[in-house]
């Protein structure tokens, strides 16, 4: 393949039918001259604020990015799904004829594709057999939700042929979350799948995870840009720590429910948490959840009022809480945030996503963005020995089929 994931852009994928060439290279003799090659795109997501509260009934504010995973595909007429990829690892070809859809750890990223196929088949959905080449420009393990991106992309592609515009995106996000919880074994909330499926260009998605209602908030930052800073620190132990946090929240909720009537941990006021939870760890976790939810509500208010300085303040407070109360940050993320805040152009910064590595975000004054990237990268590298990757976030639509003239 000509392009390694990181170099791939939409422009170079589409120009001169490059996607066709990639597909032909990957599938060789299986390429059919007489059938169109379709291209689908599924975005990564960045979470602006509302971290680790989507599995506690909280409000979250993610947005879909213009980087993500492409699915280049041709229909098949037998009952086989054949997938290849230049991403994640080189798993090569996988034939899926119904029964071979069990989870196998060694199958890596292919499990997400198998899982989605299995879950949609279990729902008796009509699936379109096809040859698919996945190509990505989403940094893997960066906390920009590559798993949800792939899950939603897979489901969308398999269903689009039969359901088209009737495809229920929210239901698809629910299936993907269920699959990730049960089949992959990560007790995630629905934020990532929802943001990927429902994103809108230049808008953040305000999602109330307790009832799954949402609205779109214009992503207007005036003289500021949202910079994403990938620490390049591998997210080790991510899954087990994630599930540990989810368990701790369940325990905290159970204690509170003995004293107060509530459905979700976000409903608890800080005073109630102080009063009823004596375990210091559980108390910290619950305090983060309660206050982070308030910060989301305040952030949306400030964004709507155009008070970007206060939005920045919310981001920084969120980071402090994730570092000290929820304890999901880490050395590299903390260095990135501290170095960001040192820069004169930065008015707020925090880790984003699950944590334990991955990305931070920073609000930076437009005319200082280049200087910010250069200085923060330099200082970060000096302190951690890792080379980071910084870029400005562009907010795009959710998963879709790309329309362009077919040859
Ligand atoms: C991961 C999960 C999400 C969410 C975030 C933390 O991205 O998939 O559901 O919990 O972590 O906010």
């Amino acid at each position: 393949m000509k392009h390694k994931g990181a170099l791939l852009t939409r422009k170079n994928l589409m120009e001169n039918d490059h996607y066709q060439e990639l597909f032909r290279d990957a599938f060789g003799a299986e390429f059919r001259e007489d059938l169109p090659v379709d291209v689908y795109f599924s975005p990564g997501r960045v979470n602006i604020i509302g971290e680790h509260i989507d599995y506690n009934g909280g409000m979250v504010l993610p947005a879909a990015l213009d980087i993500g995973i492409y699915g280049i595909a041709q229909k098949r007429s037998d009952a086989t799904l054949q997938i290849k990829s230049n991403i994640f690892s080189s798993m090569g070809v996988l034939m899926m004829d119904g029964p071979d859809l069990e989870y196998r750890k060694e199958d890596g990223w292919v499990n997400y594709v198998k899982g989605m196929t299995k879950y949609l088949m279990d729902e008796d959905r009509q699936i379109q057999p096809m040859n698919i080449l996945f190509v990505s420009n989403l940094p893997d393990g960066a906390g920009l939700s590559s798993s949800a991106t792939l899950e939603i992309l897979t489901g969308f592609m398999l269903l689009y042929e039969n359901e088209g515009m009737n495809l229920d995106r929210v239901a698809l996000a629910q299936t993907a979350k269920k699959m990730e919880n049960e089949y992959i074994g990560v007790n995630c909330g629905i934020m990532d799948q929802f943001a990927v499926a429902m994103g809108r260009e230049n808008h953040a998605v305000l999602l109330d995870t307790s009832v799954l209602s949402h609205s779109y908030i214009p992503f207007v930052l005036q003289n500021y840009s949202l910079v994403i800073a990938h620490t390049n620190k591998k997210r080790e132990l991510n899954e087990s720590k994630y599930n540990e946090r989810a368990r701790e929240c369940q325990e905290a909720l159970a204690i509170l429910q003995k004293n107060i009537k509530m459905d979700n941990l976000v409903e608890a006021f800080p005073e109630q948490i102080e009063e009823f939870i004596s375990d210091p760890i559980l108390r910290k976790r619950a305090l983060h959840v309660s206050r982070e939810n308030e910060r989301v509500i305040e952030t949306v208010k400030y964004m709507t009022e155009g008070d970007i300085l206060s939005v920045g303040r919310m981001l920084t407070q969120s980071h402090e809480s994730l570092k000290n109360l929820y304890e999901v940050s880490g050395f590299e993320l903390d260095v990135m945030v501290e170095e960001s805040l040192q820069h004169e152009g930065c008015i707020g910064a925090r880790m984003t996503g699950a944590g334990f590595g991955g990305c931070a975000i920073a609000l930076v004054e437009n005319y200082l963005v280049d200087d910010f990237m250069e200085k923060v990268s330099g200082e970060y590298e000096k302190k951690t020995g890792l080379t980071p990757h910084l870029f400005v976030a562009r907010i795009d639509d959710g998963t879709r089929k790309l329309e362009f003239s077919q040859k």
Side-chain angles (χ1 to χ4, degrees), residues 131-340:
N131 288 336
I132 308 176
L133 171 67
F134 290 112
V135 289
S136 168
N137 57 15
L138 197 61
D140 189 22
L144 300 176
S145 98
S146 53
S147 352
T149 302
L150 183 60
E151 291 160 14
I152 298 293
L153 177 60
T154 303
F156 191 90
M157 293 179 77
L158 297 182
L159 297 177
Y160 192 80
E161 181 65 20
N162 293 307
E163 301 186 8
M165 294 317 249
N166 295 326
L167 199 157
D168 182 341
R169 289 166 177 267
V170 174
L172 179 61
Q174 285 172 304
T175 302
K177 174 198 179 273
K178 187 164 178 265
M179 188 283 289
E180 190 156 342
N181 293 162
E182 300 170 355
Y183 181 95
I184 305 287
V186 178
N187 293 322
C188 62
I190 200 169
M191 170 172 77
D192 298 353
Q193 290 82 3
F194 199 97
V196 168
M198 297 291 289
R200 180 182 285 182
E201 193 180 6
N202 296 328
H203 288 77
V205 185
L206 175 62
L207 170 66
D208 180 343
T209 61
S210 67
V211 288
L212 269 202
S213 64
H214 73 285
S215 57
Y216 291 104
I217 308 295
F219 190 72
V220 181
L221 302 176
Q222 296 163 7
N223 300 329
Y224 291 86
S225 294
L226 186 73
V227 174
I228 299 182
H230 182 17
T231 59
N232 267 316
K233 150 85 177 154
K234 281 219 188 72
R235 297 186 307 146
E236 285 146 9
L237 285 179
N238 180 45
E239 291 180 6
S240 58
K241 287 282 180 198
Y242 188 96
N243 286 345
E244 183 182 292
R245 291 294 175 280
R247 214 167 36 242
E248 289 164 347
C249 288
Q250 285 301 321
E251 285 177 38
L253 176 63
I255 295 171
L256 289 166
Q257 280 173 330
K258 284 191 192 131
N259 301 283
I260 321 158
K261 194 178 162 327
M262 59 169 66
D263 296 323
N264 290 302
L265 191 53
V266 280
E267 292 162 36
F269 293 110
E271 310 78 59
Q272 297 172 320
I273 295 168
E274 304 276 4
E275 183 179 349
F276 296 118
I277 304 184
S278 53
D279 180 291
I281 300 278
L282 297 187
R283 185 188 286 188
K284 285 202 282 186
R285 307 299 188 244
L287 282 174
H288 164 77
V289 169
S290 166
R291 291 180 184 146
E292 181 77 354
N293 199 49
E294 288 304 313
R295 278 189 287 271
V296 176
I297 295 164
E298 285 188 49
T299 302
V300 170
K301 177 173 145 284
Y302 294 136
M303 257 174 110
T304 317
E305 289 168 352
D307 182 357
I308 307 299
L309 276 178
S310 297
V311 172
R313 196 159 41 81
M314 290 296 107
L315 298 194
T316 308
Q317 283 179 14
S318 169
H319 185 78
E320 286 300 306
S321 179
L322 288 157
K323 176 182 171 192
N324 299 320
L325 298 178
Y326 215 70
E327 298 179 284
V328 289
S329 185
F331 174 67
E332 292 79 3
L333 280 168
D334 290 342
V335 171
M336 188 64 89
V337 168
E338 279 155 27
E339 289 308 326
S340 298

Side-chain angles (χ1 to χ4, degrees), residues 354-392:
F356 308 109
C359 288
I361 52 173
L363 274 181
V364 183
E365 214 167 346
N366 287 339
Y367 82 100
L368 288 167
V369 163
D370 289 341
D371 188 67
F372 173 87
M373 290 197 188
E374 194 190 317
K375 291 199 175 124
V376 172
S377 297
E379 287 305 314
Y380 174 83
E381 190 160 346
K382 237 189 264 166
K383 297 207 162 110
T384 64
L386 295 171
T387 308
H389 172 48
L390 278 71
F391 57 99
V392 173

Side-chain angles (χ1 to χ4, degrees), residues 6-67:
L7 299 175
L8 184 87
T9 63
R10 173 116 15 116
K11 193 160 172 282
N12 69 33
L13 186 67
M14 295 317 216
E15 240 169 25
N16 305 322
D17 294 342
H18 181 53
Y19 66 96
Q20 291 226 16
E21 195 186 318
L22 288 177
F23 187 84
R24 203 188 297 237
D25 283 357
F27 282 99
E30 301 238 5
F31 175 75
R32 296 264 310 262
E33 292 286 351
D34 57 328
L35 287 180
V37 178
D38 296 319
V39 183
Y40 297 77
F41 173 72
S42 193
R45 70 94 190 91
V46 61
N47 189 19
I48 298 159
I49 196 160
E51 215 66 86
H52 282 281
I53 58 173
D54 65 337
Y55 48 91
N56 288 304
M59 310 276 283
V60 292
L61 193 65
L65 295 169
D66 72 342
I67 51 173

